[in-house]
Amino acid sequence: MGIAHALAYLHVGFPRPIVFGNLIPLCILFNEENVAKLFDFSESISIPEGETHILTRSRFGAWTYSAPEYKRGGVFNEKLDVYTFSTVLLELLTGQGTRDLLRTHGSVRHLIEYWKNYLQNNRFTEIADPIIVQDLSCTETEHQFQACARLTLECLNESPVDRPTMVDVTKRLRQIYCSLSCN
């Protein structure tokens, strides 16, 4: 939630949106209180006033984490951060690196279809990180996990228009977190 909040702040907390652009697990550090912090803003770009995106030929970020519109046409906007955030969330939920997941499934599209299939058939715990599965001790926790998985799928949408904003992602993660009622 902390990283989602930080990205949302970059998008709306300044006169011009700032796109982090390179969210990978190595860009997340934890302080002594285990609070997640963004690290390495070297690839961050401020979107010019009045614009919704910039086009760049430069190669930013880790290619396996990049959104389809960036890979195809160099479109750099806030929805790029939404997509890369979801790839990190995917790694957290599965306990596998994005490269490993892509090596197994061949493409993001196949990975998403695989994920949807397990989620729709209530078999997601079969592909989830075993550490998380052992913590699914009550129905509410399992619902939280499934809600995170559905949110991840939304954020991985091929079309940036169909992805939520980071503000929406932050709100939904907060709702998911607050829904926990079992100890």
Side-chain angles (χ1 to χ4, degrees), residues 136-145 176 179-182:
L136 298 179
S137 56
C138 69
T139 306
E140 288 84 3
T141 307
E142 189 169 337
H143 287 300
Q144 275 187 314
F145 183 79
I176 293 166
S179 70
L180 184 62
S181 65
C182 55

Side-chain angles (χ1 to χ4, degrees), residues 11-80:
H11 294 177
V12 299
F14 298 95
R16 297 186 335 205
I18 298 171
V19 179
F20 188 75
N22 188 30
L23 185 64
I24 59 174
L26 291 174
C27 290
I28 301 171
L29 298 177
F30 291 88
N31 69 11
E32 50 281 344
E33 288 88 32
N34 286 325
V35 176
K37 304 285 185 179
L38 286 176
F39 170 73
D40 188 5
F41 285 77
S42 63
E43 295 185 18
S44 298
I45 293 179
S46 179
I47 304 296
E49 192 170 331
E51 299 292 328
T52 59
H53 66 278
I54 63 167
L55 296 176
T56 179
R57 299 227 184 260
S58 300
R59 185 159 174 250
F60 288 93
W63 199 248
T64 55
Y65 292 83
S66 294
E69 67 273 12
Y70 178 73
K71 288 179 181 178
R72 283 192 300 264
V75 176
F76 203 87
N77 62 19
E78 295 108 313
K79 296 296 182 104
L80 174 67

Side-chain angles (χ1 to χ4, degrees), residues 79-150:
K79 296 296 182 104
L80 174 67
D81 282 345
V82 173
Y83 190 92
T84 58
F85 176 79
S86 67
T87 60
V88 172
L89 195 54
L90 178 68
E91 287 187 6
L92 290 172
L93 293 173
T94 62
Q96 297 180 51
T98 303
R99 284 192 177 127
D100 295 332
L101 289 166
L102 290 175
R103 194 176 5 251
T104 301
H105 301 286
S107 71
V108 172
R109 189 171 294 153
H110 288 124
L111 173 61
I112 291 169
E113 290 306 315
Y114 177 77
W115 183 293
K116 279 182 188 176
N117 181 43
Y118 275 84
L119 191 59
Q120 289 169 348
N121 293 310
N122 290 323
R123 296 178 47 218
F124 193 75
T125 55
E126 295 175 29
I127 59 172
D129 184 340
I131 293 170
I132 293 175
V133 172
Q134 72 187 22
D135 287 341
L136 298 179
S137 56
C138 69
T139 306
E140 288 84 3
T141 307
E142 189 169 337
H143 287 300
Q144 275 187 314
F145 183 79
Q146 290 178 355
C148 278
R150 285 190 297 276

